[in-house]
């Protein structure tokens, strides 16, 4: 039996001050000062749904447990308190739908990357890797299912559509730091080529290690990597390397400087063989760290998978509110901004119990003191 639809009342909705921080960051990125000056009418002077109102309304949906659709957001915008705190005026379905074609997701991308730059190293991970904190980035892509009529989001075939989030994740700050949104069938290596930053150390799975020439491309732009390669590659051993007792305890069984494939170009690359949980991993890298740390760095790669799961299952960025590439990108960047704002508030990524506490607080069923207590945080008193 289908669930009975419940009308959303104003008492279900509570403003959250994190929206204020977002609007301040947005205004600062646009070089505006003051509330009214920051409300420029992009898209023409006749446009009533303003850019920051549209963005704030989408961001608001991630902070509120009862808003799950475009219709729900538009209905909520008719409440006086929501207009005062979030979007300034009632929003029609037509205006909301049209806005995705007018406003630029790149502005949100810049806000996201600026907020990501504020995160410092947490008490997480191996102490010996802390000097690499700002360089060590996990990379991967994740699919978000799209409607069949979203023709741009082609994935496997005409029956499968999806958008893809290509993400860099700073493992030692436990936060996303760079993102690109594409159609589902977009090549991850091709997208990564547009996201490279000199001095980075990128950690990726076998897909990134399939193209051996990619390693030399990365070297040429000053990027190091720890990529897994397929288990039976054609290799030419140039120099075998010793394996220490500490390396063996970490599962390292062999390492050497090698050339991969038949047409290797450039200097040899280091190949480390690791046996972990009954599986054999071949890791190619140019790093000169101990082999045990190379193995550990790759095992950290699962942290980005955990973040994707959190983004979809806990934060709720699973259902797409828009159908155009721009609209989908706006929603995903808003979700990433929400993740950063939540982490800045709590000091960590909220789990399901914490998000439930937020929901109860927003619905007026828990006080701020009770919310902070449930998060293990102390209220700062001025």
């Amino acid at each position: 039996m289908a669930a009975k639809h419940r009308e959303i009342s104003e008492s279900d909705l509570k403003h959250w001050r994190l929206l204020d921080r977002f609007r301040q960051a947005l205004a600062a990125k646009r070089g505006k000062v003051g509330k009214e000056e920051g409300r420029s009418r992009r898209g023409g002077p006749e446009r009533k749904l303003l850019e920051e109102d549209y963005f704030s309304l989408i961001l608001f949906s991630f902070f509120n447990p009862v808003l799950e659709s475009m219709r729900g957001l538009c209905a909520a915008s008719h409440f006086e308190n929501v207009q005062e705190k979030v979007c300034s005026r009632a929003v029609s379905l037509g205006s909301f739908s049209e806005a995705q074609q007018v406003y630029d997701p790149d502005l949100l991308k810049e806000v996201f990357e600026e907020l990501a730059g504020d995160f410092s190293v947490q008490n997480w991970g191996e102490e010996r890797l802390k000097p690499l904190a700002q360089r060590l980035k996990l990379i991967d892509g994740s699919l978000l299912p799209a409607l069949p009529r979203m023709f741009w989001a082609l994935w496997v075939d005409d029956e499968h559509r999806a958008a893809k989030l290509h993400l860099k994740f700073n493992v030692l700050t436990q936060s996303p730091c760079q993102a690109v949104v594409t159609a589902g069938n977009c090549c991850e290596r091709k997208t990564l080529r547009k996201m490279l930053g000199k001095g980075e150390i990128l950690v990726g799975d076998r897909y990134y290690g399939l193209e051996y020439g990619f390693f030399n491309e990365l070297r040429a732009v000053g990027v190091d990597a720890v990529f897994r390669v397929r288990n039976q590659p054609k290799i030419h051993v140039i120099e075998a390397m010793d394996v220490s007792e500490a390396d063996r305890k970490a599962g390292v069984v062999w390492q050497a400087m090698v050339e991969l494939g038949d047409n290797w170009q450039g200097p040899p690359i280091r190949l480390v063989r690791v046996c972990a949980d009954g599986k054999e991993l071949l890791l190619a890298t140019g790093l000169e760290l101990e082999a045990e740390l190379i193995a550990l760095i790759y095992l950290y790669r699962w942290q980005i998978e955990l973040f994707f799961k959190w983004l979809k299952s806990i934060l709720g960025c699973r259902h797409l509110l828009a159908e155009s590439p721009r609209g989908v990108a706006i929603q995903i960047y808003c979700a990433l901004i929400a993740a950063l704002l939540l982490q800045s508030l709590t000091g960590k990524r909220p789990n399901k119990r914490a998000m439930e506490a937020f929901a109860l607080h927003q619905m007026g069923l828990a006080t701020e003191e009770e919310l902070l207590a449930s998060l293990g945080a102390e209220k700062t008193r001025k």
Side-chain angles (χ1 to χ4, degrees), residues 19 21 75 92 115 120 149-150 172 195 211 242 283 347 376:
L19 286 171
R21 183 178 175 189
S92 69
L115 289 174
S120 58
R149 62 176 176 266
M150 295 166 66
L172 294 181
M195 301 171 67
E211 187 180 328
D242 293 335
L283 308 178

Side-chain angles (χ1 to χ4, degrees), residues 37-88:
E37 190 177 4
R39 298 167 65 98
S40 61
R41 295 182 181 271
R42 296 195 176 190
E46 73 287 350
R47 186 164 300 281
K48 295 181 180 180
L49 176 56
L50 306 181
E51 182 178 52
E52 65 272 25
D53 289 344
Y54 175 60
F55 293 160
S56 295
L57 199 57
I58 295 175
L59 189 63
F60 184 53
S61 70
F62 293 112
F63 295 152
N64 198 287
V66 299
L67 300 175
E68 299 178 343
S69 67
M70 180 175 69
R71 290 181 180 274
L73 283 173
C74 291
S77 72
H78 288 264
F79 298 141
E80 181 179 348
N81 196 42
V82 175
Q83 292 177 23
E84 178 184 353
K85 304 295 187 180
V86 181
C87 59
S88 80

Side-chain angles (χ1 to χ4, degrees), residues 279-292:
K279 296 182 180 180
E280 181 180 282
L281 307 176
L282 282 177
L283 308 178
T285 182
L287 294 176
E288 297 180 358
L289 298 173
E290 295 92 334
E292 59 167 315

